[in-house]
Amino acid sequence: MIDVTINTQSITTNNKDWDGTIKGSQWFSTADFPSAHYLSSNIHTEDGKFIAHGELTLKGTTKPITVVFNWQEENGIAKFTGSATIDRREFEIGSGSWATNESVAYEVVLDIDLQLRKQ
């Protein structure tokens, strides 16, 4: 099972102007939706990779999302690297003047890179 909560208020673009904008209502609306959530209990392997079928809740909308990932354990550290593709329109991400595919692509690739240690 994968059960991940993401603090949307921690979003950063490393650009002072964008950091304020991306947290606003046209993008992630982090004041109203301070977290996103991914849950999957359907995980299998295919062609040497793990495939997780689950649901992503972002800005109050829940949609099915498939995450393809690798899992590697080394020296007490588990490395989880993977990706998923979402259509940002399904989550009302990038509205107003940002609503076109020309401003920001509708399909967005989410790259995931986690290092986990046992406590």
Side-chain angles (χ1 to χ4, degrees), residues 87-108:
D87 184 330
R88 67 180 176 87
R89 297 173 296 179
E90 292 181 342
F91 298 97
E92 297 181 28
I93 304 292
S95 61
S97 61
W98 302 105
T100 67
N101 193 51
E102 289 76 32
S103 60
V104 176
Y106 292 144
E107 284 195 355
V108 178

Side-chain angles (χ1 to χ4, degrees), residues 5 22-23 53 87 105 119:
T5 299
I22 202 155
K23 294 179 183 183
H53 300 281
D87 184 330
Q119 291 186 343

